[in-house]
Amino acid sequence: MKSNFNVQLYKNRKVVWLISFLLCLISVIGMLICLRSTSIQAPLNLGLDYTGGTQITLERSCTDDCITLNTSDISNNIIALKGQDKNFISNTPPNLSSSQIQLLDNSKLISIRLPFLSAAQSESVVSAVNKSFGPFINKNTSVEIIGPSLGEQLLKSSLISLFFAFLGIALYINFRYDRRYSFLALFALLHDILIVCGVFSWLGYLFNVEVDSLFAVSLLTIAGYSVNNTVVVFDRIREKSLIDNKLSFKYQIDKAVSATLTRTLYTSFTTLLPLICILIWGGSTLYWFAFSLVIGVIAGSWSSIALAPSLLSITSQKDFD
Amino acid sequence: MSRKNYWFLVVILFAVLSIFICTNIPFQLGLDLRGGSQLTLEVQPTEEIPKITPNEIEGVKAVLDKRVNGLGVSDSQLQTVGTNQLLLELPGEQDPSGAAKVLGETALLEFRIQRKGTEVKLRDLQSQRNSLESIIKLLEDNNNSAQLIKEININKEINQLFENYSINSDQILNIDQFNLLRNKINSDIADLFDATPLTGKYLINAGRRQDQNTNKWEVTLSFNNEGGELFADLTKSIAGSSRLLGIVIDGNSYSEASVGKQFETAGITGGAATISGNFTADDARNLEVQLRGGALPLPIDIIQIRTIGPSLGTQNIRLSLFAALTGLLFVGIFMILIYKLAGFVAVLALSFYSLFTLSIYALLPVTLTLPGIAGFILSIGMAVDANVLIFERLKEELLNGNTLIRSIDASFKNAFSSIIDGHLTTLISCITLFYLGTGFVKGFAATLGIGVVLSLFTALTCTKAILKFLMSFQGLRKISNFINPKLIPSPSINVQ
């Protein structure tokens, strides 16, 4: 009986490995560049959640035609608080000159990044900017202050939860299949996560995109998704090798991948659809979250269709009996 | 009623129940969706208590709980995070720094007796305070007018005062500097008084009221029995003398009261007292809250504050919901295009799935946040995947020349192991995230986890029940109705 697809994975395995290798290489290079760059100094451009600091978002009360503001004017306005405002007269005043100011949504939103401030200090900043560049819609003002210790803690807890999630998944596959499947599924997962991190290190380096705690959430989701996809293919390979054990293992892998290809493509597509909708219509809050998931879903489909099964074919069939 | 339609009825019943739940129980929206403030407080160790145990955290939490309730923010939440932190959510509160002040300060209340021979000094300080208070009042009434400040600025006496207290008055003064000066004077006044055993720990309640005659706010206190006796003793000892009773909060004297001769024999009994400083309504409220909550056993530090404007939140929820629904609509169209009637069954099953999930969110309740909504959308992706796995198997079974009914049964059986593996691995990461994550990471894990479990349920029961129900109609029982025949190239299933 003919199948819809006839993938010749074994024949093309070296192309698959080369593509994955290059993608991982580019990712590692991106992370190294970020690590070496003086402004980032980490493999990824870590955001407020991880480094600590203050983020103030102000919404201007202009409707369609907001006059563009000069960000350095705002910056100078904030620096002027030093020594003038009672909240900034102390022995160790925060460094106000390191503020980063961005205009968002056609100059409607002003986003100000500052070092860690106290609640009263951040209020002084809000009222100073309000005085010179207002009026603002006060009730839409958003202030986030994250202490440096909390940021460190978040980073640590994100890494710990990633580690334990991987461990749990590996143990489960080990229990359901065997050690080699579990190893390859983890390998595929790390490949996907590496690529997503790589994309974000380049985005961080080139466009100053930062990773926040939602990014850690997306990595975990990608991990779950990637393993899910790989397992479905592995499940079919195992089934094929039990039924058609006269065929060579390499051929069984090709057949299993062909049989699950439609499903993997459909599933990836239906998962991508809502994500792409969030990218287009979801507003700014979830934009980079959805973006990292899109990259992860594409990488995950690639690794489960091509990378993991082709690596499985290196080993001989009897290793899996 | 045939056995195969029995399940279909159960599914419909569940769906009706879910609609009832969703429309009657409101969803709990997180701060990012409804606006408000979120504060992370860290309990600091002291020399006496170098290590913070869960017991100490509970003590701090109990005091903070009382103070939070005193603030009058509804639906506020205070929970312990990790070993030394507390997370406080104040929905709707737009001024977290005010709240932070009330929460973090200790408000140590003391009653002190005036030292002998300090009458002149006290009178001087009191008159300085009075003139400062009238300036502050004037500034408040005139909205801190710059012109007025300039006029005061050239006042020699005031300038001398600022110099005495080494308050930087080089720049133009503002109301805060006057307040600071007043506090320094209050602290000097307190120093003219001697401590007594009566402190805030004997308080059982604090309140506030507005004086009918002067319109000024006062804070009322009531003591327990022991405190009442101490208060009576104290007032008795100075009744009729020129010595005053100072009410000192955090080292600043708020008011100095004389005790009339009539209390010489028994002192003021009944265990109640009033502090009549120069309070605004807010001052009085804050002081009341702090006094009533008692002293914090350990100092706290505010390490994180988030404030989210309510309309930023509603805009976000609308955008995300719109995006999610549009995405789902596309998924539905795609499924029907690809799988025909089976795709329609999947759409129905997915609608049931969404209903069940939402009603569980309302029932538990799960606090919905933006990451939570993302988790929900992703769990729909998982639910679609389960259906795709089943239908792809169905296609294969039909390709192998099996009958429709047998193919349906076989497809569920064969897809089961893939579905279970995929769902369980995701569930494992959800559980990990839920236990190790904090705040909104937890919310994401919760919504995705609930979604995964329900998706497993709907894929294996609802889809099957609906498929079987549709098959009980003669007219529909053709393979070409269920699966797009063009996708199946084999001639064996070209049923004409």
Side-chain angles (χ1 to χ4, degrees):
Chain A
M1 191 80 19
K2 257 187 74 181
S3 170
N4 286 353
F5 292 94
N6 194 4
V7 181
Q8 292 186 306
L9 188 63
Y10 185 72
K11 222 174 95 187
N12 299 312
R13 66 191 188 282
K14 287 190 176 145
V15 182
V16 169
W17 296 341
L18 186 68
I19 293 173
S20 277
F21 175 74
L22 285 178
L23 287 175
C24 290
L25 188 68
I26 294 169
S27 302
V28 171
I29 291 172
M31 286 160 82
L32 284 177
I33 288 177
C34 280
L35 193 63
R36 303 275 310 205
S37 108
T38 44
S39 57
I40 299 174
Q41 292 180 335
L44 287 158
N45 192 2
L46 297 178
L48 188 75
D49 286 352
Y50 296 117
T51 56
T54 307
Q55 164 117 39
I56 298 169
T57 313
L58 301 160
E59 189 178 335
R60 296 168 71 193
S61 68
C62 45
T63 43
D64 296 325
D65 46 337
C66 291
I67 314 150
T68 330
L69 296 170
N70 190 344
T71 52
S72 59
D73 287 349
I74 303 175
S75 169
N76 289 334
N77 187 271
I78 294 171
I79 293 169
L81 283 170
K82 197 172 168 179
Q84 224 183 67
D85 190 276
K86 71 178 157 89
N87 291 320
F88 289 98
I89 302 170
S90 70
N91 298 330
T92 50
N95 183 10
L96 289 175
S97 50
S98 69
S99 64
Q100 291 171 26
I101 291 148
Q102 275 181 297
L103 295 172
L104 306 167
D105 282 5
N106 295 324
S107 308
K108 196 164 168 36
L109 296 177
I110 303 176
S111 153
I112 304 168
R113 272 283 289 278
L114 289 158
F116 180 65
L117 303 179
S118 74
Q121 285 170 337
S122 70
E123 219 155 78
S124 296
V125 172
V126 171
S127 67
V129 176
N130 201 350
K131 227 177 262 168
S132 318
F133 303 97
F136 297 118
I137 303 172
N138 277 337
K139 68 179 170 57
N140 283 354
T141 300
S142 121
V143 180
E144 275 183 55
I145 303 169
I146 293 170
S149 67
L150 188 75
E152 219 169 88
Q153 223 171 295
L154 259 172
L155 188 64
K156 230 197 298 177
S157 85
S158 299
L159 289 176
I160 289 174
S161 39
L162 263 175
F163 174 77
F164 277 100
F166 290 176
L167 191 72
I169 291 167
L171 284 176
Y172 177 77
I173 301 174
N174 205 14
F175 161 74
R176 287 272 294 165
Y177 298 82
D178 76 6
R179 212 182 318 146
R180 200 152 309 213
Y181 280 88
S182 147
F183 174 76
L184 282 180
L186 268 193
F187 186 81
L189 176 162
L190 290 175
H191 162 271
D192 302 343
I193 290 202
L194 182 63
I195 288 174
V196 176
C197 288
V199 168
F200 272 78
S201 69
W202 281 106
L203 283 172
Y205 181 68
L206 298 173
F207 305 106
N208 207 25
V209 174
E210 290 175 339
V211 298
D212 53 9
S213 26
L214 273 181
F215 181 74
V217 171
S218 83
L219 287 190
L220 272 150
T221 316
I222 291 163
Y225 180 83
S226 162
V227 173
N228 175 10
N229 247 346
T230 313
V231 160
V232 170
V233 180
F234 280 0
D235 194 47
R236 190 54 86 90
I237 293 173
R238 189 175 58 169
E239 186 191 313
K240 275 271 190 292
S241 66
L242 289 179
I243 300 168
D244 300 338
N245 54 9
K246 282 167 286 175
L247 298 167
S248 80
F249 189 51
K250 291 153 194 166
Y251 184 65
Q252 286 165 7
I253 290 173
D254 277 3
K255 276 199 83 171
V257 171
S258 307
T260 49
L261 188 62
T262 324
R263 167 265 160 194
T264 310
L265 291 179
Y266 284 176
T267 306
S268 305
F269 183 65
T270 51
T271 313
L272 283 176
L273 269 179
L275 291 175
I276 291 169
C277 289
I278 295 179
L279 275 188
I280 300 172
W281 295 298
S284 52
T285 326
L286 289 180
Y287 186 85
W288 291 113
F289 178 64
F291 189 84
S292 61
L293 286 175
V294 165
I295 304 289
V297 167
I298 294 171
S301 307
W302 167 257
S303 70
S304 56
I305 293 169
L307 185 65
S310 68
L311 286 172
L312 200 57
S313 69
I314 303 176
T315 56
S316 72
Q317 179 175 0
K318 62 177 190 298
D319 289 342
F320 297 94
D321 287 339
Chain B
M1 177 66 53
S2 71
R3 227 184 90 78
K4 51 192 165 193
N5 286 346
Y6 171 78
W7 267 108
F8 182 70
L9 262 191
V10 173
V11 169
I12 294 290
L13 203 76
F14 266 126
V16 172
L17 191 68
S18 299
I19 293 175
F20 178 77
I21 291 169
C22 287
T23 46
N24 281 289
I25 301 177
F27 290 101
Q28 278 218 337
L29 298 184
L31 280 185
D32 54 347
L33 300 180
R34 66 198 288 204
S37 303
Q38 186 192 58
L39 294 96
T40 309
L41 315 162
E42 196 169 81
V43 181
Q44 302 297 325
T46 57
E47 270 175 31
E48 296 92 61
I49 310 172
K51 194 164 162 21
I52 292 153
T53 64
N55 233 349
E56 261 102 40
I57 285 262
E58 277 314 301
V60 173
K61 203 176 150 190
V63 173
L64 286 180
D65 244 336
K66 278 192 214 159
R67 291 192 184 176
V68 172
N69 288 334
L71 286 172
V73 179
S74 58
D75 285 343
S76 62
Q77 269 189 4
L78 184 65
Q79 43 184 153
T80 316
V81 183
T83 51
N84 61 344
Q85 288 176 357
L86 292 160
L87 185 78
L88 171 66
E89 298 203 331
L90 302 168
E93 174 75 42
Q94 285 298 307
D95 171 33
S97 62
K101 231 175 124 194
V102 178
L103 293 174
E105 282 175 9
T106 348
L108 176 68
L109 172 73
E110 296 167 275
F111 288 84
R112 298 189 186 177
I113 292 183
Q114 190 186 356
R115 218 173 293 135
K116 277 177 187 150
T118 56
E119 288 81 8
V120 184
K121 182 96 177 107
L122 179 62
R123 218 169 297 134
D124 280 353
L125 287 170
Q126 276 175 330
S127 82
Q128 283 168 6
R129 177 171 68 188
N130 284 345
S131 52
L132 271 177
E133 253 154 19
S134 49
I135 292 172
I136 290 168
K137 176 120 191 350
L138 202 63
L139 284 173
E140 266 168 4
D141 291 346
N142 291 292
N143 273 330
N144 215 352
S145 120
Q147 179 62 35
L148 206 59
I149 288 175
K150 244 184 215 158
E151 279 170 35
I152 301 162
N153 227 5
I154 44 176
N155 182 321
K156 248 193 177 160
E157 266 173 57
I158 297 290
N159 269 328
Q160 187 60 46
L161 260 182
F162 274 106
E163 226 162 82
N164 287 349
Y165 283 94
S166 56
I167 291 174
N168 191 352
S169 60
D170 286 346
Q171 310 98 23
I172 289 181
L173 297 166
N174 64 27
I175 195 160
D176 296 313
Q177 280 156 310
F178 286 101
N179 274 319
L180 187 65
L181 187 58
R182 181 184 57 175
N183 284 346
K184 293 213 172 195
I185 290 171
N186 277 338
S187 151
D188 272 4
I189 293 177
D191 287 342
L192 303 177
F193 286 70
D194 285 326
T196 71
L198 184 61
T199 63
K201 76 175 175 191
Y202 298 105
L203 271 189
I204 47 173
N205 206 359
R208 75 199 133 110
R209 64 159 185 244
Q210 203 169 10
D211 188 286
Q212 294 286 321
N213 303 319
T214 60
N215 266 344
K216 277 187 180 161
W217 282 91
E218 298 173 334
V219 176
T220 58
L221 308 169
S222 51
F223 300 106
N224 62 14
N225 284 341
E226 204 182 332
E229 277 168 31
L230 283 171
F231 189 62
D233 286 347
L234 206 60
T235 43
K236 191 171 120 188
S237 71
I238 56 166
S241 76
S242 61
R243 295 169 76 191
L244 301 180
L245 180 70
I247 298 172
V248 180
I249 295 158
D250 292 331
N252 291 339
S253 180
Y254 274 73
S255 68
E256 302 84 37
S258 59
V259 181
K261 218 174 160 50
Q262 69 270 34
F263 297 112
E264 241 170 11
T265 43
I268 299 174
T269 51
T274 307
I275 313 175
S276 48
N278 242 319
F279 297 120
T280 64
D282 275 345
D283 289 344
R285 185 195 69 153
N286 290 350
L287 187 58
E288 174 205 339
V289 168
Q290 288 173 353
L291 288 175
R292 191 157 46 187
L296 283 169
L298 284 167
I300 54 172
D301 214 11
I302 292 148
I303 56 170
Q304 183 211 30
I305 300 174
R306 284 176 200 259
T307 327
I308 297 122
S311 77
L312 270 176
T314 38
Q315 202 184 339
N316 271 326
I317 191 175
R318 235 183 280 134
L319 285 173
S320 300
L321 273 180
F322 175 73
L325 289 175
T326 320
L328 286 183
L329 187 74
F330 286 149
V331 170
I333 293 171
F334 176 78
M335 293 292 278
I336 293 174
L337 278 180
I338 294 292
Y339 293 117
K340 287 189 87 179
L341 198 53
F344 174 72
V345 171
V347 171
L348 268 185
L350 289 174
S351 321
F352 287 140
Y353 162 77
S354 306
L355 270 179
F356 297 159
T357 314
L358 289 176
S359 62
I360 294 279
Y361 289 171
L363 272 181
L364 271 182
V366 173
T367 307
L368 278 180
T369 58
L370 276 178
I373 291 178
F376 174 59
I377 295 170
L378 279 169
S379 71
I380 290 177
M382 299 270 319
V384 176
D385 180 46
N387 281 295
V388 170
L389 275 170
I390 293 165
F391 296 152
E392 284 302 307
R393 285 286 181 158
L394 179 62
K395 248 163 57 178
E396 277 175 49
E397 295 299 326
L398 291 171
L399 249 153
N400 289 335
N402 288 325
T403 63
L404 187 59
I405 295 189
R406 190 175 293 175
S407 296
I408 288 177
D409 280 333
S411 65
F412 276 90
K413 221 164 90 195
N414 288 331
F416 183 75
S417 104
S418 301
I419 294 177
I420 213 97
D421 285 344
H423 279 72
L424 278 184
T425 43
T426 310
L427 196 61
I428 289 171
S429 34
C430 286
I431 293 169
T432 322
L433 264 186
F434 191 79
Y435 278 104
L436 298 175
T438 47
F440 63 93
V441 177
K442 247 192 167 84
F444 173 82
T447 49
L448 185 58
I450 291 168
V452 167
V453 172
L454 284 175
S455 150
L456 203 57
F457 170 76
T458 39
L460 299 177
T461 59
C462 291
T463 310
K464 201 172 182 179
I466 302 167
L467 267 177
K468 293 228 160 153
F469 174 75
L470 289 178
M471 290 231 305
S472 62
F473 295 98
Q474 262 312 328
L476 291 175
R477 217 184 291 170
K478 270 192 205 163
I479 293 173
S480 59
N481 278 327
F482 275 89
I483 295 284
N484 205 336
K486 273 182 263 166
L487 293 173
I488 306 171
S490 162
S492 61
I493 44 138
N494 271 342
V495 193
Q496 294 300 322

